[in-house]
Amino acid sequence: MTGRRAVPAEKRSRHPTEVRRRQVVRAALELISEQGIAGVSARDIARHAGVSPGTITYHFSGVREIIAEAIALEIDEYYTPLMAELRTLGPREALSRLVEALFTPETERHWRMWFEYWLAGLHDDDFVDRQAGRYATWQGQIRDIIVAGQDAGVFTSGDAAEVAVRFVALTDGLALQWLRGVPPLTGEQARDHLRRFAADELGA
Amino acid sequence: MTGRRAVPAEKRSRHPTEVRRRQVVRAALELISEQGIAGVSARDIARHAGVSPGTITYHFSGVREIIAEAIALEIDEYYTPLMAELRTLGPREALSRLVEALFTPETERHWRMWFEYWLAGLHDDDFVDRQAGRYATWQGQIRDIIVAGQDAGVFTSGDAAEVAVRFVALTDGLALQWLRGVPPLTGEQARDHLRRFAADELGA
Amino acid sequence: MTGRRAVPAEKRSRHPTEVRRRQVVRAALELISEQGIAGVSARDIARHAGVSPGTITYHFSGVREIIAEAIALEIDEYYTPLMAELRTLGPREALSRLVEALFTPETERHWRMWFEYWLAGLHDDDFVDRQAGRYATWQGQIRDIIVAGQDAGVFTSGDAAEVAVRFVALTDGLALQWLRGVPPLTGEQARDHLRRFAADELGA
Amino acid sequence: MTGRRAVPAEKRSRHPTEVRRRQVVRAALELISEQGIAGVSARDIARHAGVSPGTITYHFSGVREIIAEAIALEIDEYYTPLMAELRTLGPREALSRLVEALFTPETERHWRMWFEYWLAGLHDDDFVDRQAGRYATWQGQIRDIIVAGQDAGVFTSGDAAEVAVRFVALTDGLALQWLRGVPPLTGEQARDHLRRFAADELGA
DNA sequence: TATGAATGAGAGTTCATTCAT
DNA sequence: AATGAATGAACTCTCATTCAT
C-alpha cells in the first residue's frame, strides 16, 4: 500500500476528451508552478487531477505534451485578457497599465512558468517553436503600443522595435531578480525601474 | 557480507583526489551545458569522464555536489579573469570592455549554465545561498565601476546601485533573447542595446 | 521528463493488489527461510515471485515492508491454528499437544524465521515493537494453560508466569540446538527435554 | 570529499602481520557488537581500525575471515578466563559462580555476538564448523562440572549430559529474553531462573 | 473512455575487492 | 607492509509508459 492511488473523486466518470484534457492540464499547471517541470511526474499529475495514470496517456501522447499545454494555458490566461484590456486604452495608459500588471503577487506563478518553459526550450526542440511564437507576439504587442504612442506624439520618436527589445529584456531581467528575491527586489521597485526606463526612452 | 567480487579491469590510472575531482567536474560541466542539469546523470558523467560510477561516488558525496562544483567552476572561470582585467582599467574603459566581453560565442556556455543555475535555485534550497552570493558579487562589481565613474566625473550622477540593478537586469534579459535566437538577436545587437542603455543612463 | 519507454512484455497477468501482495510475501517467505533476511534482495523476491521489480515497489513501500509481512505471515500461520486447537483441549492435553507440535520438520522454517526476526530486532527498531507483542502473546498463552491446569488441580501449584518464562526460554534454547544440529539434537530429544521439564515443574 | 578516509593515526606504520590482524579484528569486534554483522562493512572496519581498506585485504582473505576471527576473539575472551576460574573451584561453587557470571552488563556484548554468530551459521557454512566446536566445548564443560558434582555426591544423580543440554538451552533462552528486554527480564531474574532450575535438577 | 496493475530501463548509491604506487 | 584510488556488479527505488480488463 504505497498511497499512490488517485483520489477517487467520482469513480470512473466519462468525459469528452477535451474536458479530460483540460482537467489534466490544469492539474499539471498547478504542480509545475510549485515544483518546476523537473519536479513533476506523470503519476503526480494523474493523482492531482484525480484520474488514473492510464487516463493520462490515453488522452495525451506523453508527459511532454501535457507540460507544453500547461504552459500554453498559463500564458494564454495571463496575456489574453491583459492584451485585450490594453487594446482598449490609449498608448500612454496602455503602457502604464502594463507596468502595473507586472510583478504582482498573482503573476508570480506566471513568471516561474515562463522561465521554466524558456529553459526547457534550451534543451528540448519541441518547445522551441511554440516559445518563439509567443515571444514574438509579446514583443510585437509592446512594439505596437510604442508605435501608436509615437504616432500620437505622446512618446519620443525612435526605433520602436529596438525599444521593445530593451523593454522586454529589462522586464525579463527584473523578473529574474524579483522572483529569486536575493538580493531583494520588490515588485514595486521592479515597476519603478520599468517606469524609469520608459521615461528615459519614451519620455513617458 | 554480500559476496561481491571485482573482475579484472582493463586499464586503471591513479590520481590524487583533486585531480580526479577536476576531471569529473570538467566532464560534468560539458554535459550540463549541452543537456541541462536535468539531463545529466551520474552515469553519464562517469562515462564522459572515462571513469567508473564507483569513482564518482568515491570522490564526491553525490551528483548534486558535482553539479554545484561544475557551476561554480564555470562561473569562476568566466568572471575571475574578466573582473581582474576590469580592475586594471578606468571606469569608462572598464564598462566598455565589460560590454564587449558579453554575448560572445565563447560565453554562450556560461550563460546557459547561469540560467540552469538560476532555475535550479528556484526549487532547490541547496543552490539558493551560493547563487545569492554570486549574484550580489556580480551586481556589486558593476555598481563599483559606476561609482568610480561618477566620482571621476565621467559618468552622469545618479543612484549607482539602481543603475546597476537595471544594467544587470537588461544584460540577463538580452542574454535570454540572444541565447534563444528567436526572434533573432545577435551578440553585436545585444551589445548595442547595452551601449545605448549606458549612454542614456550614464552619459557614457 | 527522462524519456523512458517500455518495451513490449512477453506476458502479463493482472491481479488485485491483495492477491499480488500475498504472492510476493509468500515468495519472500521462502527466500528468507532459505537465505536469511540479510541474504534476500528486492530483485530476488521479484524473480522468485515471477514479477518485475517495478511490481514489487508498486505494491509495497519497500523491501522492509515485505520482510515484515513475510514474518508476520509465517508466525500467524504457525500459531493461529495451533492456539485455536489448544483452546479446545483441557490443560494437560493442551500442554502435551503443544510439546508434540514443537520441533517437527514442518516447523523448522518457522523457527528459522523466528530467530531471523528476533535478531533483526536487535539492530532495527522497526521490528522491536511487533516482536514484543508476539512474544508477549506466546508467553501469555502458555501461562494461561498453566494457570488453567493449576486451577483444575492437574498441575503443581507455583508461580505460573515464572514457569512460563522458563518454559519459553527452554523451548527457544532447545530450538537453537535443534536447528543448528551440532551437537545433534533431534526433535524427539528436544521434546523429551520439554516433557521432563514439565514433569519437574508442573508434575505433568 | 566523502569523509571516508581512515583517521591517519600514525601515518603508514609498519607492523608484523599478527599485530595488524589483531588491530583490525578488535575494531571489527566493536562494530559488530554495536551494529550487527549485517551492519558492518569492510570500509567501516578499516576506518575504525585506523587503517586503509587495502590493508584489510592484504592481511585477510576477506571480510568474512575478519568477522569469524572477531567472534572467536570475543568468545575466547569471555570463556577462557571464566572456565579457568571454574576449574579452580569445587562443583557446587563452580556452578554458583557460573550463574553469577551470566547476564551481567559486561556480558551483554558477548551474548549479542553469540546470537549474531549463531544466525550467521544458519546460512553460511564457513561458520558452522567453528560454531559446532565452541558449542560442544561450552556444553561439555558444564557437563563436566555436573559429573564432578555427582561424583562428589553434592548433586543429584542423573544423566549429566542431558542436564547440561537443558542448562545450556535454558541459559540461551533466558539470554534472548534478557537481551530483548520485552517483556522485561532483568539479569537477576534470569539468574534466579537458572538457580531454580539447578535446584530442581541437581538438588544444588 | 477509463482504469490501475504491470513493466523494465535507468536513476543514485554502496561496497568488497583489486592493484598501481 | 601499506596505501587509497579505482572498479563494476548489485543494491533499492522511481517512473513514463503499456495493456488486460
Side-chain angles (χ1 to χ4, degrees):
Chain A
M1 283 306 179
T2 43
R4 297 208 179 118
R5 302 286 187 298
V7 184
E10 30 182 328
K11 292 208 71 174
R12 238 189 150 83
S13 55
R14 287 171 82 98
H15 293 291
T17 286
E18 268 318 306
V19 173
R20 270 282 185 264
R21 284 179 70 97
R22 264 198 298 277
Q23 174 188 7
V24 169
V25 164
R26 182 72 60 190
L29 183 52
E30 287 166 15
L31 289 176
I32 295 169
S33 72
E34 283 163 21
Q35 293 151 231
I37 289 177
V40 302
S41 69
R43 266 208 144 73
D44 289 338
I45 295 171
R47 189 163 49 248
H48 198 70
V51 300
S52 71
T55 300
I56 290 256
T57 41
Y58 180 83
H59 290 290
F60 296 87
S61 63
V63 250
R64 299 274 296 275
E65 188 185 357
I66 301 173
I67 289 168
E69 296 222 352
I71 292 169
L73 176 66
E74 163 65 40
I75 292 172
D76 288 345
E77 290 189 339
Y78 179 69
Y79 281 116
T80 307
L82 177 59
M83 287 306 169
E85 184 188 355
L86 297 189
R87 273 191 296 273
T88 67
L89 303 173
R92 196 190 288 271
E93 293 72 28
L95 194 64
S96 168
R97 176 73 192 91
L98 172 60
V99 170
E100 274 162 41
L102 294 169
F103 315 122
T104 63
E106 308 86 56
T107 62
E108 183 176 331
R109 188 174 82 172
H110 167 77
W111 284 100
R112 285 177 182 275
M113 295 288 283
W114 176 251
F115 291 120
E116 288 280 349
Y117 187 41
W118 186 89
L119 203 62
L122 271 188
H123 304 293
D124 193 330
D125 293 342
D126 288 5
F127 289 141
V128 171
D129 292 346
R130 311 188 207 223
Q131 251 184 10
R134 296 187 185 281
Y135 208 87
T137 305
W138 165 233
Q139 206 165 286
Q141 279 165 319
I142 287 166
R143 190 198 54 231
D144 292 346
I145 293 172
I146 295 170
V147 168
Q150 290 172 333
D151 290 351
V154 298
F155 291 162
T156 312
S157 66
D159 187 323
E162 298 229 321
V163 178
V165 167
R166 282 195 292 281
F167 185 88
V168 167
L170 187 60
T171 303
D172 284 346
L174 289 167
L176 289 173
Q177 293 186 41
W178 166 63
L179 270 188
R180 181 199 296 102
V182 280
L185 182 76
T186 66
E188 187 53 28
Q189 288 170 329
R191 282 188 293 274
D192 279 342
H193 283 296
L194 272 186
R195 290 186 193 109
R196 167 73 198 252
F197 174 86
D200 285 356
E201 295 252 3
L202 299 170
Chain B
M1 290 298 285
T2 30
R4 286 146 189 187
R5 74 246 100 90
V7 170
E10 42 190 5
K11 218 185 299 181
R12 188 184 261 209
S13 61
R14 276 176 75 92
H15 298 289
T17 282
E18 273 315 311
V19 173
R20 268 282 186 265
R21 282 178 70 94
R22 265 197 298 275
Q23 175 191 0
V24 168
V25 165
R26 185 72 62 188
L29 186 51
E30 287 166 14
L31 289 177
I32 295 169
S33 72
E34 283 164 20
Q35 292 153 231
I37 289 177
V40 303
S41 71
R43 279 183 152 75
D44 288 340
I45 295 171
R47 200 178 311 113
H48 197 70
V51 300
S52 69
T55 298
I56 290 276
T57 42
Y58 180 79
H59 293 290
F60 296 88
S61 63
V63 250
R64 298 279 298 271
E65 188 185 1
I66 301 174
I67 289 169
E69 294 222 353
I71 292 170
L73 176 66
E74 164 64 42
I75 293 173
D76 288 345
E77 289 190 341
Y78 179 70
Y79 281 115
T80 307
L82 177 59
M83 288 305 169
E85 184 189 354
L86 297 188
R87 275 190 294 272
T88 67
L89 302 173
R92 193 191 291 271
E93 293 74 27
L95 194 64
S96 165
R97 175 73 192 92
L98 171 61
V99 170
E100 273 163 40
L102 294 169
F103 316 122
T104 63
E106 309 85 56
T107 62
E108 182 177 330
R109 189 176 78 174
H110 166 76
W111 284 101
R112 286 177 181 276
M113 295 290 283
W114 176 251
F115 291 119
E116 287 283 345
Y117 192 37
W118 185 91
L119 193 64
L122 268 191
H123 303 291
D124 192 331
D125 293 341
D126 287 4
F127 287 132
V128 171
D129 291 345
R130 310 186 208 226
Q131 240 184 21
R134 294 188 186 283
Y135 212 88
T137 305
W138 167 231
Q139 207 165 285
Q141 278 165 322
I142 286 165
R143 190 198 54 231
D144 292 346
I145 292 171
I146 294 170
V147 168
Q150 290 171 333
D151 289 350
V154 298
F155 291 161
T156 312
S157 66
D159 187 323
E162 299 230 320
V163 178
V165 167
R166 283 195 290 281
F167 185 89
V168 167
L170 188 60
T171 302
D172 283 346
L174 289 166
L176 289 174
Q177 294 187 41
W178 166 64
L179 270 187
R180 180 194 300 102
V182 279
L185 182 75
T186 66
E188 188 52 28
Q189 288 170 328
R191 284 188 292 274
D192 279 342
H193 283 296
L194 273 185
R195 289 187 194 107
R196 167 72 198 255
F197 173 87
D200 284 356
E201 294 253 4
L202 298 170
Chain C
M1 289 300 283
T2 30
R4 286 148 189 183
R5 75 244 100 93
V7 171
E10 41 191 5
K11 220 184 301 181
R12 186 184 260 208
S13 61
R14 275 176 75 91
H15 298 289
T17 282
E18 273 316 311
V19 172
R20 269 281 186 264
R21 281 177 71 94
R22 265 197 297 276
Q23 175 190 3
V24 168
V25 165
R26 185 73 61 190
L29 186 51
E30 287 165 15
L31 289 177
I32 295 169
S33 73
E34 283 163 21
Q35 291 153 233
I37 290 176
V40 303
S41 69
R43 276 183 153 75
D44 289 339
I45 295 172
R47 202 179 309 113
H48 197 70
V51 300
S52 70
T55 298
I56 292 276
T57 43
Y58 179 79
H59 293 288
F60 296 88
S61 64
V63 249
R64 297 280 297 272
E65 188 185 1
I66 300 174
I67 290 170
E69 294 222 352
I71 292 169
L73 176 66
E74 165 63 41
I75 292 172
D76 288 346
E77 289 190 341
Y78 180 70
Y79 281 115
T80 307
L82 177 58
M83 289 305 169
E85 184 188 354
L86 298 188
R87 274 190 294 272
T88 67
L89 303 173
R92 195 192 290 271
E93 294 71 29
L95 194 64
S96 166
R97 174 75 192 92
L98 171 60
V99 171
E100 274 163 39
L102 293 169
F103 316 122
T104 63
E106 309 82 58
T107 63
E108 182 177 330
R109 189 175 78 173
H110 167 76
W111 285 100
R112 287 176 180 275
M113 295 290 283
W114 176 253
F115 291 120
E116 287 282 347
Y117 187 40
W118 187 90
L119 202 63
L122 272 188
H123 303 291
D124 193 330
D125 293 341
D126 287 4
F127 288 139
V128 171
D129 291 345
R130 310 188 207 223
Q131 246 184 14
R134 296 187 184 283
Y135 208 86
T137 305
W138 167 231
Q139 206 165 286
Q141 278 165 321
I142 287 166
R143 190 198 53 232
D144 292 347
I145 292 171
I146 295 171
V147 167
Q150 291 172 332
D151 290 349
V154 298
F155 291 162
T156 312
S157 66
D159 186 323
E162 299 229 321
V163 178
V165 167
R166 282 196 291 281
F167 184 88
V168 167
L170 188 59
T171 303
D172 283 346
L174 289 166
L176 289 172
Q177 293 185 41
W178 165 64
L179 270 187
R180 183 198 296 102
V182 281
L185 182 75
T186 66
E188 189 51 28
Q189 289 171 328
R191 282 188 293 273
D192 279 341
H193 283 296
L194 273 185
R195 289 185 194 110
R196 167 72 197 253
F197 173 87
D200 284 357
E201 295 251 4
L202 298 170
Chain D
M1 282 308 179
T2 42
R4 298 205 181 124
R5 304 283 188 294
V7 184
E10 30 182 327
K11 292 207 68 171
R12 238 190 149 83
S13 55
R14 286 172 82 97
H15 294 291
T17 285
E18 269 318 305
V19 173
R20 271 282 186 262
R21 283 179 70 96
R22 264 197 300 275
Q23 175 188 7
V24 168
V25 165
R26 183 72 61 191
L29 183 52
E30 288 166 14
L31 289 177
I32 295 169
S33 71
E34 284 163 21
Q35 293 151 232
I37 290 177
V40 303
S41 69
R43 267 208 143 76
D44 288 339
I45 296 172
R47 187 164 51 246
H48 198 70
V51 302
S52 71
T55 300
I56 291 252
T57 41
Y58 181 83
H59 291 290
F60 296 87
S61 63
V63 249
R64 301 272 297 274
E65 189 185 358
I66 300 173
I67 290 168
E69 295 222 352
I71 292 170
L73 176 65
E74 164 64 40
I75 292 172
D76 288 346
E77 289 189 340
Y78 179 69
Y79 281 116
T80 307
L82 177 59
M83 289 306 169
E85 183 188 356
L86 297 188
R87 274 190 294 272
T88 68
L89 303 173
R92 198 191 288 270
E93 293 73 28
L95 194 64
S96 168
R97 175 74 192 91
L98 172 60
V99 171
E100 274 163 40
L102 294 169
F103 315 122
T104 62
E106 308 83 57
T107 63
E108 183 178 328
R109 187 175 82 173
H110 166 77
W111 284 101
R112 287 177 180 275
M113 295 289 282
W114 176 251
F115 291 120
E116 288 281 348
Y117 192 38
W118 185 91
L119 192 63
L122 267 191
H123 305 291
D124 193 330
D125 293 341
D126 289 5
F127 288 135
V128 171
D129 292 346
R130 311 187 208 223
Q131 243 184 17
R134 295 188 185 280
Y135 213 88
T137 305
W138 166 231
Q139 207 163 285
Q141 279 166 320
I142 286 164
R143 191 197 54 230
D144 292 347
I145 292 171
I146 295 169
V147 168
Q150 290 172 332
D151 290 351
V154 297
F155 291 161
T156 312
S157 67
D159 187 324
E162 299 229 321
V163 178
V165 166
R166 283 195 291 280
F167 185 89
V168 167
L170 189 58
T171 304
D172 284 347
L174 289 167
L176 289 173
Q177 294 186 40
W178 166 62
L179 270 187
R180 180 194 301 101
V182 279
L185 183 75
T186 66
E188 188 52 27
Q189 289 171 328
R191 283 188 293 273
D192 279 341
H193 283 296
L194 273 185
R195 289 185 194 110
R196 167 73 196 252
F197 174 86
D200 285 355
E201 295 252 4
L202 299 170

